[in-house]
Amino acid sequence: MIKIFLYYSILSVLIIGLFGAGGLVIEEFKTGEGCPKIMHIPMCLVVFICFVIPLIAHLLQKANVLYFIFTGLAGGIALVASIMQFTGNAECPKTASGTPMCYYSLVLFSTLIILKIYSLKLKKS
């Protein structure tokens, strides 16, 4: 029962993240100003891909290494962006309420990593 709950919890978080990052990617392609860029690469596109690959790995219930590589990469990006936002050295895109999206991204990717670790530990037992 808990394994099913974890599976669908991970799936739900991935879908929430896809919609959030996807909205920024669409805005980026429309206006060119949807998200910050590093070396001309929109970070929202990188984060979107970092939701897609783990989603595929999760649905196939394989390639856990890819799951962790991509959630870890995006989690690291979100951590750096959150620190830079907090210190005033960067501007993350904001929600309608004014909350920087990098904060939400950090929470989502941290949650994905924790849930997957717990899920894998349950599978072993």
Side-chain angles (χ1 to χ4, degrees):
M1 185 70 152
I2 188 108
K3 290 178 186 179
I4 293 169
F5 174 76
L6 285 170
Y7 178 86
Y8 285 106
S9 295
I10 292 169
L11 187 60
S12 298
V13 173
L14 286 165
I15 290 170
I16 289 167
L18 277 173
F19 277 102
L24 288 174
V25 170
I26 290 168
E27 183 66 26
E28 178 64 31
F29 285 132
K30 282 183 182 176
T31 67
E33 298 186 18
C35 56
K37 296 168 191 65
I38 296 177
M39 297 186 319
H40 305 290
I41 300 170
M43 285 299 99
C44 55
L45 181 58
V46 173
V47 170
F48 182 79
I49 291 167
C50 288
F51 277 115
V52 171
I53 303 293
L55 175 64
I56 293 167
H58 183 66
L59 290 173
L60 296 176
Q61 296 186 3
K62 294 183 180 187
N64 290 325
V65 170
L66 285 178
Y67 179 98
F68 285 113
I69 287 171
F70 283 90
T71 54
L73 171 65
I77 291 168
L79 178 62
V80 169
S82 295
I83 291 168
M84 291 177 73
Q85 170 72 39
F86 188 74
T87 60
N89 293 319
E91 271 303 306
C92 296
K94 296 192 174 41
T95 63
S97 64
T99 305
M101 288 183 170
C102 51
Y103 296 169
Y104 288 120
S105 187
L106 180 58
V107 169
L108 289 176
F109 282 108
S110 298
T111 300
L112 286 170
I113 291 167
I114 291 166
L115 288 175
K116 191 65 159 186
I117 289 170
Y118 188 57
S119 173
L120 291 173
K121 283 187 178 191
L122 279 180
K123 277 187 178 180
K124 285 183 181 179
S125 58

